[in-house]
């Protein structure tokens, strides 16, 4: 009897010929030995299998660079090593366009000093392209769904992502997940504490996920039937900024 072909867990169309790292290697200094992998086609692994306008690894690298510049992540040892190594070399040599876009996007806003005094135009912040974050986080959510449920997300479900969670909102989100059921605790997905996640899984394919990078940056995603979301809805708030060092 001929064995049924394993399809890519992301697109559900093309044959899965690779084991794809759900958390891109670009978020690390060294490829983790403890890593979540799922069956994937090459187009969804590195290219534009989801219909994106650029190869996926470029959005992963963009998101990694922004997170490593964000206030709150700066003390993580992997972030320190990335800033001194891969990111510095990338901005200096290979990605002049990225460097220019980051510089143009930096603005200044008020910030409260240690004495409780607001200092106008003292704190730099950058307005990231959160649609690039969302693309990466949708992919991660589908990978985690397969890893947890051992089945791909059904095609009649979609992933929504809020990529601008503030640290003070995290306890509130955890309480909401607990009120809806019994969510898991934050699980570490690698030996470097780069990525952790917790989830709440419903009776059907409805799930909610909190994803933490570098022990600070948290993102919220959820899956629901396509017919229950408004056309064009992504889950992203209207106003967002991100402070950087």
């Amino acid at each position: 009897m001929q064995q049924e072909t394993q399809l890519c867990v992301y697109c559900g169309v093309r044959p899965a010929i690779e084991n794809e790292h759900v958390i891109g290697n670009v978020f690390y200094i060294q490829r983790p030995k403890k890593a979540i992998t799922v069956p994937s086609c090459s187009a969804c692994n590195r290219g534009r299998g989801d219909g994106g306008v650029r190869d996926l690894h470029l959005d992963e690298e963009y998101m990694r660079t922004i997170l490593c510049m964000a206030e709150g992540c700066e003390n993580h040892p992997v972030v320190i090593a990335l800033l001194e190594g891969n990111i510095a070399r990338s901005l200096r040599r290979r990605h002049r366009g990225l460097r220019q876009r980051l510089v143009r996007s930096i603005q200044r806003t008020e910030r409260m000093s240690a004495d409780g005094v607001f200092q106008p135009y003292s704190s730099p912040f950058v307005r990231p392209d959160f649609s690039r974050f969302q693309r990466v986080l949708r992919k991660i959510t589908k990978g985690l769904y397969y890893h947890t449920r051992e089945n791909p997300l059904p095609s009649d479900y979609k992933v929504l992502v809020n990529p601008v969670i503030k640290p003070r909102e995290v306890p509130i989100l955890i309480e909401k997940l607990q009120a809806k059921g019994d969510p898991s605790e934050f699980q570490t997905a690698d030996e470097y504490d780069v990525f952790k996640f917790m989830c709440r899984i419903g009776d059907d394919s409805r799930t909610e996920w909190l994803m933490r990078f570098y022990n600070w940056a948290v993102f919220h995603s959820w899956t629901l039937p396509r017919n229950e979301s408004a056309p064009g809805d992504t889950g992203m708030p209207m106003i967002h900024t991100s402070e950087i060092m």
Side-chain angles (χ1 to χ4, degrees):
M1 180 180 295
Q2 186 175 5
Q3 186 176 5
E4 186 176 353
T5 301
Q6 170 74 63
L7 296 179
C8 172
V9 305
Y10 297 115
C11 65
V13 176
R14 290 176 288 271
I17 59 175
E18 302 177 358
N19 280 327
E20 191 267 346
H21 288 77
V22 173
I23 313 305
N25 292 322
V26 72
F27 291 97
Y28 301 89
I29 290 293
Q30 300 180 33
R31 177 179 294 186
K33 295 179 181 179
K34 175 187 175 184
I36 298 174
T37 61
V38 297
S40 170
C41 67
S42 57
C44 286
N45 186 357
R46 295 180 296 274
R48 308 180 187 186
D50 61 349
V53 298
R54 63 183 70 83
D55 287 351
L56 182 63
H57 77 274
L58 295 176
D59 284 347
E60 290 178 325
E61 185 170 349
Y62 174 86
M63 178 176 171
R64 182 276 320 267
T65 300
I66 294 293
L67 291 184
C68 287
M69 294 171 62
E71 184 179 48
C73 295
E74 70 271 16
N75 293 322
H76 194 286
V78 173
V79 170
I80 294 171
L82 285 169
L83 287 171
E84 294 176 349
N86 296 7
I87 292 177
R89 288 191 297 270
S90 177
L91 293 177
R92 185 169 57 246
R93 298 175 184 174
R94 294 191 291 116
H95 291 310
R96 181 181 178 186
L98 173 59
R99 182 172 67 246
Q100 291 175 338
R101 286 193 296 274
L102 288 175
V103 171
R104 286 197 299 266
S105 66
I106 293 176
Q107 303 176 35
R108 290 187 175 272
T109 186
E110 65 182 11
R111 186 177 189 178
M112 184 178 291
S113 69
D115 298 327
V117 178
F118 278 105
Q119 301 171 326
Y121 307 110
S122 61
S123 177
F125 71 90
V126 63
R127 295 184 185 274
D129 183 349
F130 281 112
S131 66
R132 301 182 72 171
F133 282 34
Q134 285 187 305
R135 185 186 181 206
V136 174
L137 294 166
R138 280 194 295 268
K139 170 227 168 187
I140 292 175
T141 300
K142 285 188 174 184
L144 292 177
Y145 182 97
Y146 181 88
H147 171 74
T148 304
R149 303 293 299 268
E150 298 183 346
N151 282 298
L153 182 69
S155 59
D156 59 343
Y157 275 69
K158 69 182 296 185
V159 179
L160 299 179
V161 178
N162 179 357
V164 288
I165 300 298
K166 296 179 175 62
R168 64 176 179 271
E169 297 173 335
V170 175
I172 299 173
L173 284 171
I174 293 176
E175 287 181 7
K176 288 183 177 180
L177 261 63
Q178 291 172 338
K180 295 177 182 177
D182 185 19
S184 67
E185 300 294 330
F186 270 108
Q187 303 175 46
T188 303
D190 55 74
E191 65 268 32
Y192 300 115
D193 280 338
V194 165
F195 181 80
K196 299 178 181 180
F197 70 95
M198 66 181 299
C199 63
R200 186 194 65 83
I201 299 175
D203 295 332
D204 50 12
S205 294
R206 300 172 192 268
T207 61
E208 286 192 64
W209 306 83
L210 291 181
M211 296 175 274
R212 187 191 299 272
F213 286 83
Y214 304 122
N215 285 330
W216 181 80
V218 174
F219 305 99
H220 179 210
S221 68
W222 57 101
T223 62
L224 78 169
R226 292 181 182 275
N227 60 9
E228 293 186 15
S229 62
D233 184 17
T234 63
M236 185 159 57
M238 297 297 295
I239 300 174
H240 37 260
T241 63
S242 179
E243 289 190 354
I244 64 173
M245 295 184 292

